Amino acid sequence: MSATSTSNLPTNVQSLISQAKDLFEESFGKDDRTNLPIYCASAPGRVNLIGEHTDYTGGYVLPLAIGYNTVCYGRGSIVKSDPTPKKSRIVSTNKSLVEFNVSPSLSPSSTNKWANYVQGVILQYLPDLQTDETFVLDMAIAGDVPLGSGLSSSASLEVATAVFLESIMEPHGVAYSSYKQSRDDVTMSPKEVKMEVATAVF
């Protein structure tokens, strides 16, 4: 990613991209996947201006993005399923590397629970691929959303992962499901927000 493509971003996001890129190069830079495209995605943390704990019970909620973010930087592609598939790999600035095979039978990890947030999002997008296709990716994650503080660090990671996957899908001409498109419908500028919209982004 060139300096000109990040110069208009907030300073903290530029720093997170730099951290994620450095971690990516350190973890994955010298192997046989260097031919895969590079992608970068970011998503903010959030607070609820109104409606704390009502979003998952069907009530009204008005989330508000904050100036803390999660960045996913890496490479990935859609490939044909293989009896001996290449593992997908993720690493974070504060968590060790995790490897896994992307398949419908992917189970939650009991030892690397943080990776379940990424894996869960991947499983949501997997049905959008052909039955003989899967994802393979190497992704480094950096974030400054305070953990365990009620600022949705996990949701930030999930949305950044979703945008990362959609970036992989787009050049392959793969459309993602309509229920995922609803995320785009409620991700709008402040001028476009209508109070009657009772939908939580996260």
Side-chain angles (χ1 to χ4, degrees):
M1 183 172 294
S2 66
T4 55
S5 61
T6 62
S7 58
N8 62 334
L9 297 175
T11 304
N12 74 310
V13 176
Q14 293 184 48
S15 175
L16 291 172
I17 292 173
S18 179
Q19 293 175 44
K21 184 176 181 180
D22 289 346
L23 180 61
F24 174 83
E25 293 294 339
E26 176 186 333
S27 304
F28 312 120
K30 299 178 181 179
D31 61 24
D32 60 352
R33 299 188 193 180
T34 54
N35 61 319
L36 296 182
I38 293 289
Y39 301 99
C40 185
S42 175
R46 59 94 172 162
V47 293
N48 282 329
L49 185 61
I50 59 172
E52 191 67 33
H53 298 299
T54 63
D55 46 357
Y56 50 81
T57 58
Y60 291 90
V61 65
L62 181 59
L64 175 70
I66 59 176
Y68 296 96
N69 296 265
T70 301
V71 165
C72 295
Y73 182 98
R75 59 191 169 214
S77 186
I78 296 171
V79 299
K80 293 295 183 181
S81 300
D82 190 283
T84 56
K86 290 185 177 180
K87 290 183 180 293
S88 288
R89 304 175 293 186
I90 59 174
V91 65
S92 169
T93 51
N94 58 2
K95 298 290 184 180
S96 59
L97 188 146
V98 177
E99 297 182 337
F100 54 92
N101 292 324
V102 177
S103 73
S105 61
L106 179 62
S107 299
S109 172
S110 59
T111 56
N112 296 291
K113 293 184 178 181
W114 73 274
N116 293 333
Y117 294 104
V118 175
Q119 294 171 356
V121 174
I122 293 173
L123 288 176
Q124 289 296 310
Y125 283 88
L126 198 56
D128 293 327
L129 307 185
Q130 299 296 319
T131 54
D132 63 342
E133 293 178 332
T134 188
F135 292 105
V136 61
L137 55 90
D138 293 331
M139 190 170 73
I141 302 160
D144 60 3
V145 184
L147 304 179
S149 60
L151 298 179
S152 295
S153 58
S154 57
S156 177
L157 172 58
E158 290 169 335
V159 174
T161 300
V163 176
F164 187 91
L165 292 174
E166 290 169 12
S167 298
I168 294 174
M169 296 165 72
E170 184 176 355
H172 288 268
V174 179
Y176 45 92
S177 302
S178 58
Y179 75 88
K180 301 185 189 79
Q181 292 173 353
S182 65
R183 175 177 61 78
D184 297 325
D185 295 338
V186 296
T187 305
M188 55 187 77
S189 68
K191 291 182 179 179
E192 297 173 308
V193 174
K194 295 180 173 59
M195 289 297 290
E196 66 265 28
V197 177
T199 308
V201 177
F202 302 103

